[in-house]
Structures are given as structure tokens and as C-alpha cells.
């Protein structure tokens, strides 16, 4: 087996930093103590036929380790967890529960979070419609209500537990915290203190802090390289 190779964007605009989904693969590798390499591509290449052979939707990240070549962050996190063994319990029932949460994060939470983000962006871009509440007539409040219900349900399911399945942090928590991390610059968790504390606990893990710092460092370097290239072009 080769060192895991994560293919992702070398540069993204500031709003996507700390959110771009290679973070999930980086975080899983850090949790498992598995060194990895990055292959950095740009937006244009991600839409090319060459990249689409590995990621049919023209997205990132993709992952390979000499034995498997896959896309979809849930599958990637599960593969890394399988290799390392710390994020996936060996007991069958506990293992399947962890996998269940990976799927739930991507299927029962992320679509609502993405819909809300799209609505928010549309509301920000649209002129105020005169109702005085800053909302457009696009149903933003309905989407937010749906999302809030999902988040409340999740908070109730976590209850007083430290992690989704109790005391053990699994790949299910890694994916759930990562998906909920997309709410960072919103007030969606404002009246859900136990859920907010769950996310904060996950994000405080040294492996997450390291993965996040490494992602930002990469973008800082890319910013500097782009600025230098622009200056050279202007000279
Ligand atoms: N379900 C996919 C989503 C991948 C995804 O949306 N990736 C974003 C970057 S974080 C992307 O490539 N966006 C560019 C695009 O969709 O064209 C996964 O979890 O891997």
C-alpha cells in the first residue's frame, strides 16, 4: 500500500477556507496517525475529463492509496478509518452504528445545511424586498425552519453523551462535526447549546486543529504564489 494521496484544490476563495471537504480526509488521517500526501489541482482541471474519470461530478476531494481509488468524503473517511482502526470500533454493532452516523451526516444533515447556505447567499445577493426583515420571498425562513428541526432532533439524539455513540469518538462523529462545521459563520446553533458544545468538542481535538491549520497554511502559500505571479506579470 502506498501513502494515501488526497487530491484537492490548491487554492479556494476565503469563504471556502476551513470548509473545503479535503479537511475531512486530512482530519481522519491525523486521527489515525497516517501520513498522507496532497495532489493540488485547480478548478479548471477538476472539470476536465481526466479528473472526471475519478470523480464523475468534477469535484474534490478524491483519494487513492495504491489499493483503492475513491471519491465521496464519507467513503474516504471510512477507508482511512479502516486502515487506521482507531475511528471504527471492532464490535459489529458499534461499527455499524458509526457507519450509520457517517451516512446520516451526509444524507440527513448536509443537504439541509447546503440548502440553507444557498438560500442565505440568495438573500444576501437580493435587494431587500421591503418587508423590513431582510428576507427575500424565496422561502428562506422555511428552509431555516427545516434545518432547525433537523438540528434539534440531532441535539436530542446526542442528549448528555459526549459523542454520538457515547464515550468513544468514531468516524461518525468526525463526519458529523465536519458537516456541522459548515454552520460556523451562521447563528444556526445559537439556541442549541448542547449541539454547539458537541461541535466545539470535536473541533478542539488536536487532530482537527492540525488538519485545519495545515489547510489554511496551504492557502496562505497559494495566496503568496499567486501574488508573486501577478507581480511578475505586472513587471
Ligand atoms: N458529496 C461530495 C461533495 C464534494 C463537494 O461538493 N466538493 C466541493 C469542494 S468542498 C467541490 O468540489 N465543489 C466544486 C463543484 O461542485 O463544482 C463529497 O462529500 O465528497
Amino acid at each position: 500500500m502506498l501513502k494515501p494521496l488526497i487530491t484537492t484544490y490548491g487554492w479556494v476563495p476565503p469563504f471556502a477556507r476551513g470548509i473545503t471537504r479535503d479537511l475531512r480526509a486530512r482530519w481522519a488521517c491525523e486521527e489515525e496517525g497516517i501520513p498522507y500526501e496532497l495532489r493540488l489541482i485547480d478548478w479548471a482541471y477538476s472539470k476536465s475529463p481526466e479528473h472526471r474519470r475519478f470523480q464523475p461530478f468534477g469535484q474534490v476531494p478524491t483519494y487513492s492509496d495504491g489499493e483503492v481509488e475513491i471519491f465521496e468524503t464519507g467513503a474516504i473517511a471510512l477507508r482511512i478509518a479502516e486502515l487506521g482502526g482507531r475511528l471504527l470500533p471492532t464490535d459489529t454493532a458499534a461499527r455499524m452504528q458509526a457507519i450509520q452516523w457517517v451516512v446520516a451526516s451526509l444524507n440527513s444533515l448536509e443537504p439541509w445545511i447546503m440548502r440553507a447556505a444557498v438560500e442565505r447567499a440568495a438573500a444576501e445577493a437580493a435587494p431587500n424586498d421591503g418587508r423590513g426583515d431582510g428576507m427575500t420571498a424565496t422561502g428562506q425562513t422555511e428552509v431555516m425552519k427545516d434545518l432547525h428541526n433537523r438540528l434539534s432532533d440531532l441535539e436530542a439524539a446526542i442528549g448528555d453523551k459526549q459523542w454520538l455513540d457515547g464515550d468513544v469518538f468514531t468516524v461518525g462523529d468526525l463526519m458529523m462535526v465536519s458537516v456541522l462545521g459548515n454552520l460556523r459563520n451562521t447563528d444556526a446553533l445559537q439556541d442549541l447549546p448542547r449541539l454547539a458544545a458537541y461541535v466545539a468538542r470535536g473541533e478542539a481535538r488536536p487532530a482537527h486543529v492540525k488538519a485545519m491549520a495545515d489547510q489554511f497554511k496551504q492557502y496562505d502559500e497559494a495566496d503568496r504564489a499567486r501574488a508573486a505571479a501577478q507581480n511578475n506579470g505586472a513587471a
Side-chain angles (χ1 to χ4, degrees), residues 8-9 12 16 19-22 24 43 46-47 51-52 55 57-62 71-76 106 110 114 175:
T8 189
Y9 292 131
V12 297
I19 289 178
T20 308
R21 290 170 175 80
D22 59 76
R24 299 169 185 176
W43 179 271
S46 72
K47 305 300 169 199
H51 183 68
R52 282 181 195 273
Q55 219 294 5
F57 308 108
Q59 296 182 314
V60 299
T62 61
F71 65 96
E72 278 298 333
T73 47
I76 294 170
L106 294 169
E110 191 160 55
M114 296 306 288
M175 287 298 296

Side-chain angles (χ1 to χ4, degrees), residues 36-167:
Y36 61 91
E37 279 174 13
L38 290 167
R39 178 169 161 262
L40 302 178
I41 62 171
D42 62 18
W43 179 271
Y45 185 80
S46 72
K47 305 300 169 199
S48 70
E50 290 80 21
H51 183 68
R52 282 181 195 273
R53 269 195 285 127
F54 304 112
Q55 219 294 5
F57 308 108
Q59 296 182 314
V60 299
T62 61
Y63 168 98
S64 63
D65 60 25
E67 192 176 7
V68 306
E69 199 158 67
I70 50 174
F71 65 96
E72 278 298 333
T73 47
I76 294 170
L78 282 167
R79 168 61 175 172
I80 295 165
E82 178 188 71
L83 287 177
R86 293 183 195 158
L87 294 169
L88 260 185
T90 45
D91 168 75
T92 301
R95 189 181 184 85
M96 290 313 297
Q97 267 174 352
I99 293 171
Q100 142 207 286
W101 285 118
V102 171
V103 177
S105 73
L106 294 169
N107 193 45
S108 299
L109 272 306
E110 191 160 55
W112 274 261
I113 291 172
M114 296 306 288
R115 268 185 73 198
V118 168
E119 291 289 349
R120 228 180 353 260
E124 276 165 23
N128 191 306
D129 68 0
R131 289 179 306 168
D133 58 3
M135 300 282 179
T136 64
T138 58
Q140 187 201 22
T141 49
E142 275 307 308
V143 172
M144 295 300 178
K145 219 163 61 192
D146 280 354
L147 173 60
H148 190 268
N149 288 342
R150 290 273 151 166
L151 295 171
S152 302
D153 290 344
L154 180 63
E155 184 178 71
I158 294 174
D160 292 327
K161 295 194 295 285
Q162 191 186 9
W163 304 115
L164 290 165
D165 287 325
D167 292 334

Side-chain angles (χ1 to χ4, degrees), residues 156-223:
I158 294 174
D160 292 327
K161 295 194 295 285
Q162 191 186 9
W163 304 115
L164 290 165
D165 287 325
D167 292 334
V168 178
F169 179 88
T170 73
V171 64
D173 292 294
L174 184 146
M175 287 298 296
M176 190 62 83
V177 169
S178 178
V179 164
L180 297 179
N182 288 343
L183 297 168
R184 201 166 294 127
N185 297 320
T186 76
D187 58 4
L189 298 181
Q190 208 166 40
D191 63 342
L192 298 167
R194 280 186 305 177
L195 192 56
Y198 165 75
V199 175
R201 261 196 309 281
E203 291 187 341
R205 292 175 70 83
H208 181 272
V209 173
K210 166 98 171 62
M212 185 74 108
D214 286 347
Q215 198 194 61
F216 272 87
K217 187 164 161 252
Q218 174 200 307
Y219 297 142
D220 286 346
E221 285 166 9
D223 281 342

